[in-house]
Amino acid sequence: MKNFGLIGAAGYIAPRHMKAIKDTNNNLVVAYDIYDGIGIMDSNFPEADFFTEAERFEDFIYKWKMDNGKPLDFISITTPNYLHKSHMRLALAHGADAICEKPLVLNPSDIDELKKVEEKTGKRIYNILQLRLHDSIVALKDKISKELKENPDKVYDIDLSYLTSRGKWYFESWKGKEEKSGGLASNIGVHFYDMLSWIFGEVEENIVHLKTPFVNAGFMKLKNARVRWFLSVKYDYIPEEIKTIGQRTYRSITVDGEEIEFSGGFTELHTRSYEEILKGNGFGLDEARNSIEIVSTIRNQEPVGLVGEYHPFCSLVNSD
């Protein structure tokens, strides 16, 4: 049994980490969040210590190490994106490996900094990149890998569409502040970029067509794919047939016109991620780099407008 700490226990994704710790028969020793409304802990680890002050949390994990003769094994991190780097440094400094939600960090230079922390402490950082464990995505990667062995120069045409409605709260929260979240592409697109570059190779070209508070859209040339992508948090742009059935999210990936079905199978992916990490097979800093470079480029690039190979949904966008 491994002993865990959790930073960001009140966050949206934190319950999946608690469940993963429990499902893998490990123990959550202590959790921390500035917000104290976390009754979810009662159904997972009611005996875990909890703090709303960082200093008391850090004091606890220091004393726990002294009393038990060894540090916590892992500290899981589910805090706002801009805090990930400092919380991973804290975990490693106290002798624990870190398990961090995506996006791992905001900038590629942060990865270089954290590699030095790994080298200094001898501890590891793991990133939750759960799409790499999704059965449909694994099957797609296997299929593409076989095809590329026969034709290494083949280039696929891909359309990525992800529209997930968010209310006014989104723009008042840290998620709506680019300096804290990294922007829309970091918030809702990073795992798709990771998946696509994992399957189709490194980025050769990265163009942004539209960038508003509600929409990011662009084109990427990967080694073996041309990708038109469209991300939105505005309900207006949801296809009418999706609105008609009462849904507020639309997700689609087509490869050479063929839809990749991966709408289900998400509920256990955090547990599977933890299982792989505990076996020493988790995704580390090097695996996270491609997607962080992609979203950093998008964030720092001026949109070119509707020229070139832009996603069809771009024509729906008003001035926002």
Side-chain angles (χ1 to χ4, degrees):
M1 180 179 287
K2 301 295 184 181
N3 292 301
F4 281 76
L6 174 62
I7 304 177
Y12 163 76
I13 206 69
R16 297 191 196 180
H17 286 258
M18 293 183 200
K19 183 177 184 298
I21 294 168
K22 188 174 183 178
D23 287 349
T24 52
N25 298 313
N26 293 298
N27 183 42
L28 181 64
V29 173
V30 60
Y32 158 64
D33 202 292
I34 59 173
Y35 177 65
D36 61 8
I38 52 168
I40 186 69
M41 288 186 65
D42 289 341
S43 58
N44 288 284
F45 296 98
E47 300 304 316
D49 282 89
F50 174 73
F51 300 98
T52 59
E53 296 169 317
E55 295 82 359
R56 293 182 66 204
F57 170 78
E58 193 166 1
D59 188 54
F60 176 92
I61 60 177
Y62 175 81
K63 288 181 177 177
W64 196 92
K65 178 170 59 177
M66 295 298 101
D67 292 344
N68 291 274
K70 63 176 184 177
L72 294 173
D73 296 293
F74 293 92
I75 293 180
S76 299
I77 297 157
T78 60
T79 50
N81 301 347
Y82 73 109
L83 297 175
H84 287 176
K85 181 174 70 169
S86 60
H87 288 152
M88 286 185 281
R89 278 201 310 251
L90 183 150
L92 271 60
H94 283 277
D97 290 329
I99 300 175
C100 187
E101 263 300 333
K102 60 196 176 300
L104 187 72
V105 288
L106 297 185
N107 303 295
S109 59
D110 297 331
I111 293 179
D112 298 329
E113 182 181 327
L114 290 170
K115 285 181 78 73
K116 293 178 181 177
V117 179
E118 280 191 333
E119 292 168 4
K120 182 178 180 180
T121 61
K123 306 309 293 184
R124 289 287 312 278
I125 290 170
Y126 297 99
N127 196 191
I128 298 293
L129 299 174
Q130 73 267 37
L131 281 185
R132 296 191 186 200
L133 301 176
H134 192 290
D135 289 340
S136 296
I137 303 304
V138 172
L140 175 64
K141 181 173 174 59
D142 290 343
K143 174 180 179 290
I144 298 300
S145 295
K146 290 175 183 176
E147 292 176 359
L148 290 177
K149 283 183 179 179
E150 297 177 2
N151 183 4
D153 297 324
K154 181 174 174 59
V155 177
Y156 298 82
D157 287 309
I158 297 173
D159 277 356
L160 162 64
S161 313
Y162 183 49
L163 298 84
T164 178
S165 307
R166 294 289 185 266
K168 294 179 180 179
W169 68 267
Y170 181 92
F171 300 98
E172 292 299 320
S173 75
W174 65 266
K175 293 176 183 286
K177 310 293 189 293
E178 187 175 270
E179 70 277 11
K180 293 185 175 183
S181 69
L184 194 60
S186 291
N187 266 342
I188 69 171
V190 66
H191 51 306
F192 294 116
Y193 302 135
D194 171 73
M195 180 265 287
L196 291 173
S197 60
W198 178 56
I199 296 174
F200 296 98
E202 64 273 11
V203 178
E204 297 178 353
E205 187 177 20
N206 190 349
I207 297 169
V208 177
H209 291 120
L210 295 176
K211 187 159 50 174
T212 79
F214 299 96
V215 170
N216 280 187
F219 171 82
M220 281 191 300
K221 172 66 173 68
L222 305 179
K223 181 182 178 182
N224 293 107
R226 291 183 292 264
V227 183
R228 301 186 300 183
W229 57 270
F230 184 93
L231 307 173
S232 172
V233 292
K234 192 167 186 176
Y235 178 73
D236 294 359
Y237 303 140
I238 300 281
E240 288 301 324
E241 64 270 21
I242 302 301
K243 293 179 183 176
T244 300
I245 59 176
Q247 294 186 11
R248 296 178 59 85
T249 294
Y250 173 73
R251 176 174 51 213
S252 170
I253 296 178
T254 61
V255 179
D256 285 348
E258 180 181 346
E259 186 75 33
I260 306 303
E261 173 54 47
F262 66 112
S263 56
F266 283 90
T267 55
E268 300 302 321
L269 290 184
H270 275 73
T271 294
R272 290 181 61 183
S273 297
Y274 271 64
E275 288 170 349
E276 293 302 316
I277 289 168
L278 290 163
K279 290 189 292 187
N281 299 330
F283 304 117
L285 294 175
D286 290 335
E287 286 85 358
R289 185 180 293 274
N290 269 355
S291 59
I292 300 305
E293 288 179 344
I294 289 169
V295 295
S296 177
T297 298
I298 293 169
R299 184 186 318 124
N300 293 296
Q301 188 177 149
E302 288 297 321
V304 300
L306 301 191
V307 296
E309 297 188 63
Y310 58 87
H311 194 288
F313 283 13
C314 290
S315 59
L316 302 174
V317 178
N318 56 34
S319 60
D320 280 343

